[in-house]
Amino acid sequence: KGWLSFSHIKTDNSKFPFHEWMKSQQKAIAQHKSELAEIAHFQGPFTVRKTISDMIALTRGVTCEPEQIIIGTGIHPLIHQLMAMQSSNRKVAVENPGYSRIYQLLKSQKRDVSPIELDKEGIDIKGIETAKPDFLFITPSHQFPTGTIMPISRRVELLNWAATGEDRYIIEDDYDSEFKYGTDNIPSLQSLDRNQRVIYFGTFSKTLLPSFRISYMVLPPKLLELYQYNYSDRIQGCSSLHLYALHYFIQSGEYAKHIKRMNQHYNKKRKQLIKELYLRFQNKIKINDAPAGLHFLAEFNTDKRYEEIDEKAQREKLEIYTIKRFLLGNKTRDSQNIQLVIGFASIKQEDIVEAVERLYRVIY
Ligand SMILES: Cc1ncc(COP(=O)(O)O)c(CN[C@H](CF)CCC(=O)O)c1O
């Protein structure tokens, strides 16, 4: 039997409009031969930044000029640049459980990083007041990995926190905000910000393909000035051919169409997976089924050790990620039960029952 996957990392490209993407690339070649022959603006071509800023104004309520957008080959290199230009005594707080790749990056930069606990509304305010960070890295639209959608009240509390301190910033990672099921999208934190304290991050990894490596950040004016002072001699990492193709793909309406199609497709799989999990695990499972993103957190009544779960998953040829991947600092376990991050992008509809059966054998 072949491997089945509940990975949260891959996307489902079975419905990716490769033909339309190729047409956008051909258009990019036809219209931009001279730009393809030179090095692009270090923040990315203005035309592409304009298209992105118009789009996120419409879809996420982000207010910005194209000049404030920095395009990069992923959130990682962008965060690296953003933090590398900060003095060494400026501190960062991150969510715990959270995005360990960013936590590891900040640690590797010898940055003072404090993992902060979550409550049912998202990152815990008391924890922030204790840690006294200068930067707060959060995922309010769909907390990574627990899935919590941060309510407006907590967003306002965080904006007040940022506004009442010297030079404080909130880094809003909006990574899979395009996917909401049966609930309307809450506008970005950046759209509520009146004090230029929110740094907005977006990515095309979840809506297009993670292998395209196209992501961006929106800097408030003061940080933009510092960025341009530090990096204007740098070379833009993304390929201009792909960036201009993205520009035409968005302009032609194909991007919006694809997101709509994938929302419907993912929602169908999400619903069936949740149904099959409850059917098979009955009252042994608790699903944090926030109606968003491409994964959810599920808790299983067992006091088995994670090592045993990982081992049995290998034997069952089932790719799963446990909460351990996201526990930062010295946090060892979030609950006496086993918690898994279950992604539904890469599992095929017809493999869901078999995958749930394998998962049952892994856990019990
Ligand atoms: C919380 C979060 N913010 C952004 C991204 C997007 O990053 P980029 O492609 O570089 O734009 C991801 C994507 N996460 C990766 C793939 F899912 C890795 C997950 C893992 O390491 O568990 C993510 O989880």
Side-chain angles (χ1 to χ4, degrees):
K1 62 182 182 185
W3 276 81
L4 294 178
S5 168
F6 282 134
S7 163
H8 62 292
I9 300 178
K10 299 174 198 139
T11 55
D12 178 345
N13 64 7
S14 64
K15 296 193 175 315
F16 189 82
F18 286 103
H19 177 71
E20 284 70 18
W21 178 264
M22 286 313 290
K23 275 190 354 213
S24 302
Q25 273 200 182
Q26 276 150 9
K27 204 150 179 213
I29 292 168
Q31 311 278 331
H32 298 278
K33 281 204 175 52
S34 56
E35 288 93 338
L36 294 180
E38 62 195 22
I39 299 283
H41 186 285
F42 65 98
Q43 295 178 223
F46 181 84
T47 316
V48 185
R49 284 185 279 131
K50 173 90 177 74
T51 297
I52 292 174
S53 64
D54 290 347
M55 180 180 74
I56 57 179
L58 222 59
T59 57
R60 303 296 295 125
V62 173
T63 45
C64 73
E65 296 304 318
E67 287 74 10
Q68 294 173 258
I69 291 191
I70 321 283
I71 295 174
T73 55
I75 184 170
H76 216 269
L78 289 168
I79 292 271
H80 188 282
Q81 284 187 325
L82 175 70
M83 296 317 293
M85 65 184 197
Q86 306 299 331
S87 50
S88 56
N89 63 343
R90 296 188 39 80
K91 299 163 54 178
V92 185
V94 298
E95 297 160 327
N96 192 12
Y99 190 14
S100 70
R101 285 182 201 264
I102 295 299
Y103 177 71
Q104 300 307 338
L105 165 67
L106 294 167
K107 299 291 279 182
S108 70
Q109 285 182 327
K110 309 274 174 285
R111 184 67 59 188
D112 179 331
V113 205
S114 313
I116 308 267
E117 298 295 306
L118 306 172
D119 62 25
K120 65 186 182 335
E121 297 198 332
I123 194 162
D124 173 55
I125 297 279
K126 286 182 299 305
I128 295 169
E129 276 145 12
T130 313
K132 295 189 177 20
D134 303 293
F135 290 86
L136 193 52
F137 180 87
I138 55 172
T139 51
S141 178
H142 179 235
Q143 202 278 328
F144 185 79
T146 63
T148 306
I149 299 176
M150 185 182 282
I152 302 275
S153 52
R154 179 60 54 89
R155 292 168 190 238
V156 171
E157 276 185 281
L158 292 178
L159 288 169
N160 291 339
W161 166 82
T164 50
E166 259 313 291
D167 247 4
R168 277 179 186 165
Y169 290 97
I170 297 174
I171 300 173
E172 172 180 23
D173 175 6
D174 209 25
Y175 73 105
D176 70 1
S177 60
E178 297 81 357
F179 300 109
K180 291 284 184 305
Y181 311 111
T183 172
D184 49 10
N185 218 337
I186 302 183
S188 64
L189 195 70
Q190 200 265 11
S191 68
L192 303 172
D193 175 28
R194 295 286 166 274
N195 304 295
Q196 304 186 347
R197 295 306 178 88
V198 175
I199 302 160
Y200 179 85
F201 273 78
T203 180
F204 291 94
S205 293
K206 301 296 176 186
T207 51
L208 293 179
L209 300 175
S211 61
F212 280 6
R213 305 316 304 137
I214 304 177
S215 314
Y216 56 92
M217 64 181 169
V218 179
L219 296 181
K222 210 170 134 199
L223 283 178
L224 176 65
E225 220 177 290
L226 190 64
Y227 184 91
Q228 292 174 333
Y229 174 76
N230 281 280
Y231 298 113
S232 55
D233 64 342
R234 286 290 171 87
I235 292 184
Q236 166 54 231
C238 288
S239 115
S240 294
L241 171 56
H242 281 155
L243 291 180
Y244 282 110
L246 174 67
H247 160 70
Y248 288 111
F249 193 73
I250 293 171
Q251 293 288 356
S252 66
E254 284 302 329
Y255 183 72
K257 236 161 72 184
H258 183 58
I259 288 185
K260 197 166 175 315
R261 177 189 319 131
M262 292 316 287
N263 258 284
Q264 287 157 359
H265 178 62
Y266 284 140
N267 194 23
K268 247 183 28 247
K269 282 204 279 186
R270 178 181 171 278
K271 274 188 181 141
Q272 198 207 336
L273 175 55
I274 289 174
K275 181 170 108 0
E276 297 301 337
L277 284 167
Y278 278 129
L279 212 57
R280 191 68 185 86
F281 288 87
Q282 309 275 339
N283 57 358
K284 296 194 195 82
I285 187 172
K286 192 160 66 68
I287 297 178
N288 188 349
D289 61 350
L294 304 182
H295 70 267
F296 51 77
L297 191 68
E299 184 164 325
F300 300 85
N301 287 354
T302 166
D303 56 1
K304 275 211 177 97
R305 288 172 306 102
Y306 278 105
E307 294 70 26
E308 192 180 344
I309 299 291
D310 290 339
E311 226 175 81
K312 291 184 73 179
Q314 284 290 331
R315 277 212 301 280
E316 284 294 337
K317 292 194 173 180
L318 182 66
E319 183 183 11
I320 53 172
Y321 290 92
T322 71
I323 195 72
K324 284 192 69 84
R325 180 187 178 82
F326 311 94
L327 296 180
L328 312 180
N330 50 17
K331 195 176 170 78
T332 50
R333 199 157 170 150
D334 225 8
S335 101
Q336 167 264 348
N337 293 328
I338 286 287
Q339 293 180 309
L340 302 184
V341 169
I342 297 191
F344 45 85
S346 41
I347 190 83
K348 287 196 190 70
Q349 188 100 26
E350 58 270 19
D351 292 335
I352 287 178
V353 172
E354 163 64 16
V356 168
E357 194 44 44
R358 290 190 196 180
L359 184 62
Y360 194 87
R361 289 200 292 268
V362 166
I363 309 265
Y364 295 109

